[in-house]
Amino acid sequence: MNILLVGGGGREHALAWKMAQSHHCDNLFIAPGNPGTASIGTNVDIQVNDFVGLKNCVLENTIDMIVVGPEDPLVNGIYDYFAKEEDTKHVNVIGPSAEAAQMEGSKAYSKHFMQRHAIPTATYAEFTHTNYAEGLDYIKAHTLPIVLKADGLAAGKGVIIAFTHQEALTSFEEMIQNKQFGEASSKVVIEQFLEGIEVSVFALTDGFTYQIIGHAKDYKRIGEGDTGLNTGGMGCVSPVPFMDEDFMKKVEDRIIKPTIKGIQSENLTYKGFVFFGLMNCGGEPYVIEYNCRLGDPETEVILPRLQTDLVSLLAAADNGTLEDVNIEYNPGSFATVMAVSGGYPGDYKKDFPIHGLTDAVTVPGTLVFQAGTGFKEDAIVTKGGRVLTTTAQGSTLQDAVANAQKALAKIQFEGMYFRKDIGYEFAS
Ligand code: AMP
Ligand code: GLY
């Protein structure tokens, strides 16, 4: 079949790499892609929210399946757009409907959903300008720390963890009165702080049944020892040592099954990935958030670890056979280490040439996935904060991290930075 992959980051490079291995994949197009995906399929210069442009591409290239990487087009209704048009409704779009994408697009929507289906999550309340004064009282009476979340999508910046009441009150005012995140913060969810270790679990659903396709621990802070500012993710390991059978059974019984049952009982159209952002609080899993897509850089470890053919899986989600698929994993551990531009997640410069990409892939068992890269004439240069990631397999988690670092050591660009302690808490 012909596949159109929507997106252009490290997650999409990993998706392209995995899907291209399938004998079901004839032609792969990536919109807009990056220099990494250009070496696997055909990049088409169409932005992810340009649905008309994507439709033209679908018709011109007789696309059978669209795989949507980022959340933006999903929340904006890409699924519904293709489903409602006569000439594209046969296309298998992997992603939820706009309504179901509210699981990620609105924090309040997802909290209501969890409450309706008794899914463990932090206690919360929600506020707008109409009950602003109540919000102030709620904050003053709340234990610390306290978590404030802009309701809508805020490019990963809409969550504030306040350690004093004053900080929480100021953030609340910024969000609601001063529209810090525009419309996204016209509603604010205030919730209990959950103490624990954060992990990501990924499932593929057709809205009725599901398959778990992997899990990972993402290292979100810029600094070693989990210090400094939050980023999109600086590296991941998979599998996670504490996510044993016992813990995963709790995750499935208390979280995944009730979520899929909830999607079904509410008649939500959801054929796509569900990303469960979880907190392991002393062995008990709680939902921090739902995302309606795969994670980045989680995808860069879970797909290399997944042995099962991804295109077959995605086809099964479309034709009602998802339950019959056998999920298999490659042996050993996997790690990915992200190289970022100097200054990220603050301001950084772009357009620096990247050296050593071909050398890096000569390290056995390693892969390079490009994220914020671009072409400048024939050279590959930096174009974003998170530039590229190296993924490696190892017989142990430590070996996997060491191999990923070995590959990264062959790559250079001006200002390059990466965390050298990915997986540190699991070192024996
Ligand atoms: P989100 O945008 O929901 O992913 O939140 C960003 C980050 O804030 C999460 O990845 C967590 O690290 C942290 N966070 C969000 N909610 C909570 C919570 N209730 N307790 C502790 N940390 C949280
Ligand atoms: N790495 C976290 C995310 O993709 O949201």
Side-chain angles (χ1 to χ4, degrees), residues 175-249:
M175 285 195 194
I176 297 223
Q177 306 289 44
N178 301 337
K179 296 196 178 339
Q180 185 183 10
F181 302 106
E183 256 316 289
S185 65
S186 61
K187 190 185 275 177
V188 171
V189 165
I190 301 184
E191 69 177 31
Q192 168 203 15
F193 178 80
L194 294 175
E195 184 87 54
I197 306 177
E198 209 175 332
V199 287
S200 313
V201 175
F202 298 91
L204 176 68
T205 187
D206 54 10
F208 302 93
T209 176
Y210 69 92
Q211 291 283 356
I212 296 175
I213 59 163
H215 73 255
K217 179 170 192 314
D218 180 17
Y219 292 77
K220 294 193 180 208
R221 301 297 190 95
I222 188 73
E224 284 169 14
D226 295 325
T227 54
L229 293 174
N230 244 331
T231 71
M234 296 296 292
C236 283
V237 295
S238 179
V240 179
F242 67 74
M243 295 183 74
D244 53 16
E245 233 173 83
D246 182 43
F247 184 76
M248 284 307 287
K249 185 167 174 2

Side-chain angles (χ1 to χ4, degrees), residues 218 232 275 293 295-298:
D218 180 17
F275 170 161
R293 53 172 174 85
D296 193 351
E298 286 95 333

Side-chain angles (χ1 to χ4, degrees), residues 397-419:
L397 195 152
Q398 287 75 24
D399 285 346
V401 175
N403 289 340
Q405 287 183 359
K406 231 179 266 168
L408 214 47
K410 297 192 178 288
I411 297 175
Q412 310 94 38
F413 56 85
E414 199 174 316
M416 172 172 154
Y417 166 80
F418 63 91
R419 272 182 64 169

